[in-house]
Amino acid sequence: MSQLTRITAPDGVAPAAQYSHVVLGTGRFVAVSGQIALDEDGKLVGEGDPAAQARQVFENLRRCLAAAGAGFDDVIKLTYFVTDMAHLPAIRAARAAHIPDDRLPASSAVQVAALVRPEFLLEVEAFAVIGA
């Protein structure tokens, strides 16, 4: 496992409430492509339901990280792509089921006009660092 340092309030920057401004560590870099709310059979989970979609997305992220020998403790950055910023509370709730508040990664949230298919409400990509 990599040793990660999380900095929530660098000098001169307002403290972060739901993320860390900076996360650094040493080890191997892991990039996980944006995950959408498809189950293992490729079927949409939670049509029209951002909470159900967020739970599936975080389950997919967990499985992808595990395939690389990583876990949510190793995540240094999450990027959220949402069709409506109103979905962020559902995403935060799904994230909280996997990542405690004292281990929050750096994060960005971007509202997009659309995702790959209109029924998808959100997509999340992850970057992690694991021991060498």
Side-chain angles (χ1 to χ4, degrees):
M1 178 187 244
S2 172
Q3 294 285 59
L4 299 180
T5 301
R6 291 167 175 80
I7 304 170
T8 59
D11 289 342
V13 178
Q18 294 291 325
Y19 58 93
S20 297
H21 278 292
V22 179
V23 180
L24 57 118
T26 59
R28 292 184 307 141
F29 184 74
V30 176
V32 179
S33 293
Q35 296 298 302
I36 51 180
L38 294 177
D39 67 13
E40 60 193 30
D41 297 320
K43 294 185 176 132
L44 173 68
V45 172
E47 185 164 359
D49 182 349
Q53 288 197 21
R55 287 190 299 272
Q56 183 63 47
V57 164
F58 273 86
E59 178 58 19
N60 292 347
L61 287 170
R62 185 193 66 74
R63 290 175 179 176
C64 290
L65 289 163
F72 282 105
D73 280 350
D74 303 305
V75 172
I76 61 169
K77 176 79 163 61
L78 292 171
T79 304
Y80 309 103
F81 301 96
V82 296
T83 57
D84 187 335
M85 286 294 183
H87 301 326
L88 287 179
I91 294 169
R92 288 185 187 119
R95 180 193 65 197
H98 296 278
I99 304 173
D101 285 347
D102 66 340
R103 310 234 2 119
L104 293 174
S107 297
S108 298
V110 181
Q111 184 168 332
V112 296
L115 293 167
V116 67
R117 292 191 342 222
E119 62 269 28
F120 296 120
L121 304 175
L122 59 114
E123 180 174 333
V124 182
E125 67 181 13
F127 298 102
V129 174
I130 59 176

